[in-house]
Amino acid sequence: PASLNFKVTGEKVCVKGYLHAELKVGGGSLHMVTTHLDSKKKPEGVQDFQAQQIREEVLVHLPPGDAVLVAGDFNICSRRSKDDGSAYRQLCAAMSPLTDVFGPTDSIEPVATRRPIQKPFSSAHSKTKSKKGDGAIDHAFVRGLQMISSEVVDLRCADKTVVSDHLGLELIFSL
């Protein structure tokens, strides 16, 4: 397993990076990478630099026959609600040849993965709704896995407390 911080970041408080683990399954391997890319837009292209770091430090070194899952909060929207779609195209290029199981297709628009409500951890004085509410910024890129089912789920505690400003992604695969 490897856990690394990103070399390029605009975050002042949070240290973000990725975690890579290899699981031996049957006679093969499943490589799982979880990440949280910067939410900031500066320095310019920061999420692309970070996605490229995952590609250069992990993806290009994996055996071609191994199964791969790269998932997390990429802070890049696939719905074109934040930009013209160029950031998502760059992300897909960095993750290639993996494919985003929640990505857009010719007939399906990706579902939102961020809550359209006020951020649960915002200041008590904040009265504004999040402008990021319609974003689809959580992604799961795969290779060598067969999707059994997928669902965007509402993550709440037993007392209905919201635990994140994101919805959860429940993914079930077979090798």
Side-chain angles (χ1 to χ4, degrees), residues 11-43:
E11 301 284 346
K12 302 286 187 240
V13 177
C14 299
V15 176
K16 295 184 177 175
Y18 68 87
L19 173 67
H20 168 228
E22 178 182 3
L23 303 171
K24 297 294 185 183
V25 182
S29 291
L30 168 61
H31 295 269
M32 296 176 55
V33 179
T34 183
T35 189
H36 190 172
L37 274 56
D38 275 19
S39 60
K40 309 296 183 221
K41 300 297 179 204
K42 293 182 180 176

Side-chain angles (χ1 to χ4, degrees), residues 118-139:
Q118 185 173 337
K119 291 182 183 181
F121 309 114
S122 63
S123 161
H125 304 292
S126 175
K127 303 283 188 222
T128 60
K129 299 267 184 191
S130 170
K131 294 179 183 175
K132 301 178 183 178
D134 62 349
I137 61 177
D138 302 288
H139 305 284

Side-chain angles (χ1 to χ4, degrees), residues 79-130:
R79 294 172 62 111
R80 285 186 260 156
S81 59
K82 308 300 172 216
D83 69 2
D84 63 0
S86 59
Y88 182 68
R89 286 191 298 276
Q90 287 176 315
L91 174 63
C92 290
M95 295 293 112
S96 179
L98 282 62
T99 57
D100 185 2
V101 298
F102 276 98
T105 65
D106 290 339
S107 60
I108 300 172
E109 179 70 13
V111 296
T113 61
R114 185 161 179 136
R115 293 179 184 283
I117 60 171
Q118 185 173 337
K119 291 182 183 181
F121 309 114
S122 63
S123 161
H125 304 292
S126 175
K127 303 283 188 222
T128 60
K129 299 267 184 191
S130 170

Side-chain angles (χ1 to χ4, degrees), residues 66-80:
D66 286 2
V68 182
L69 168 65
V70 180
D73 179 354
F74 288 84
N75 278 307
I76 296 173
C77 187
S78 59
R79 294 172 62 111
R80 285 186 260 156

